[in-house]
Amino acid sequence: ISISKIDSTLENRLNELQITSRLSSKNLLEDYFTDSKNFQISITKKPMEERNIISDIVDYWQKQDKHLLLVGSTGDGKSTAIKIFTSTLNNVGYRIDARDIDATVDDYSSDIEVTFDYEEIEKTFSNDLSELEQRIKIRRVEGKKFNPEYKFIVSEELPALVDEIEVTPTWIKRMSNRGRKVKLFLCVAAQNDTVDALGLKGNSKLINNFVKLYLGSKAIERAKQLKDEQLVSWLQGTKYGRGLID
């Protein structure tokens, strides 16, 4: 944001601010800005190549120490993003568990445990909550020596699980609230980011515990909500491979 000087008055005032008290400085500026003809304000956006473009999304996510929310419509690349995360994290020692009612044999590598059935997914949610409590107890005893295995838990189409599995809201609430401290990280995918769809009704602040990655049409939709035409144009520049972190 830049303020262009139309006359020398502002420059004089700014020089005077260096030798005045805080109260006097306030009065000097108030006197100047009373007359709106004395200044004009312009906002210049940096070109996209100078803005914060993230080339390694997995590395960026790891540094945030948060859960991950993927938001995209059908065909926007949620499954591709999940493949990128699971393959990369699997190679650096994370244990990967996936709950995906629509998964095929091509969606995950053979060394990743995938649960497809609603009843079986419900059991995994209960197991997660038990593991959460167990890790919390161990951390309480070990303190700084606590060094657990990192776990990345994928839940595709979370809204469907919220609708079909009664324990899902409890699972998402407890895991998103306390899981990060004991290295249990969630990766949830949905077609929108409303608290109802994510099972967080009444706990909307927990959405702040997620890195939100908008993909495809949802990224463009989000950029339009932000009224950032330059970002919209950049996102529309290619069909795949670009998203928006919010």
Side-chain angles (χ1 to χ4, degrees):
I1 302 176
S2 61
I3 302 177
S4 61
K5 296 190 292 291
I6 294 177
D7 56 38
S8 61
T9 308
L10 179 57
E11 185 174 5
N12 293 335
R13 289 290 185 272
L14 293 175
N15 290 330
E16 291 170 357
L17 292 182
Q18 307 302 318
I19 57 173
T20 60
S21 66
R22 192 173 288 184
L23 179 59
S24 298
S25 298
K26 176 176 178 292
N27 293 333
L28 283 169
L29 284 177
E30 283 181 347
D31 290 343
Y32 177 78
F33 285 114
T34 297
D35 183 0
S36 61
K37 295 179 181 179
N38 283 333
F39 68 96
Q40 61 187 29
I41 297 176
S42 61
I43 300 175
T44 304
K45 292 182 179 178
K46 294 181 179 179
M48 283 304 300
E49 59 268 19
E50 295 181 20
R51 297 175 71 176
N52 191 15
I53 297 178
I54 301 166
S55 58
D56 188 339
I57 186 61
V58 180
D59 178 68
Y60 172 84
W61 169 79
Q62 286 181 283
K63 291 176 180 177
Q64 306 312 303
D65 195 35
K66 290 186 175 185
H67 304 292
L68 177 64
L69 170 61
L70 302 174
V71 183
S73 297
T74 302
D76 277 342
K78 295 193 300 295
S79 295
T80 300
I82 288 172
K83 282 183 181 180
I84 292 171
F85 273 89
T86 55
S87 62
T88 303
L89 296 175
N90 197 29
N91 289 335
V92 295
Y94 281 69
R95 177 157 60 97
I96 313 294
D97 280 358
R99 294 82 194 264
D100 190 341
I101 55 175
D102 295 322
T104 69
V105 293
D106 301 318
D107 291 334
Y108 300 91
S109 62
S110 58
D111 56 342
I112 294 176
E113 184 175 346
V114 186
T115 308
F116 308 90
D117 180 75
Y118 280 120
E119 291 184 3
E120 293 301 315
I121 291 175
E122 184 173 13
K123 292 178 183 178
T124 65
F125 282 170
S126 296
N127 292 339
D128 290 338
L129 293 173
S130 296
E131 183 175 2
L132 173 65
E133 294 303 320
Q134 184 64 25
R135 289 193 179 207
I136 289 172
K137 290 179 181 178
I138 295 173
R139 178 177 178 268
R140 188 175 297 126
V141 173
E142 295 185 353
K144 293 181 180 180
K145 295 181 180 179
F146 181 67
N147 186 29
E149 177 185 42
Y150 283 48
K151 188 174 180 180
F152 190 69
I153 304 170
V154 178
S155 290
E156 256 277 33
E157 298 302 338
L158 183 64
L161 303 181
V162 171
D163 290 340
E164 296 291 336
I165 301 176
E166 186 176 356
V167 73
T168 305
T170 299
W171 173 82
I172 188 72
K173 180 178 71 173
R174 292 183 183 176
M175 295 294 288
S176 63
N177 187 35
R178 307 182 75 187
R180 296 179 300 157
K181 291 182 179 180
V182 292
K183 308 310 176 185
L184 296 174
F185 294 100
L186 304 182
C187 169
V188 299
Q191 295 197 22
N192 63 71
D193 59 354
T194 65
V195 292
D196 286 355
L198 301 176
L200 291 174
K201 187 175 182 179
N203 297 277
S204 59
K205 290 183 179 180
L206 291 178
I207 197 70
N208 296 324
N209 293 344
F210 290 80
V211 169
K212 298 183 284 294
L213 173 55
Y214 296 84
L215 301 166
S217 62
K218 292 298 181 178
I220 294 171
E221 181 180 307
R222 181 62 180 145
K224 289 180 178 178
Q225 291 173 349
L226 297 172
K227 301 185 186 304
D228 192 330
E229 295 180 4
Q230 187 183 55
L231 181 56
V232 171
S233 178
W234 179 78
L235 289 167
Q236 292 174 332
T238 181
K239 188 173 183 180
Y240 299 112
R242 292 180 180 177
L244 169 63
I245 289 285
D246 191 5

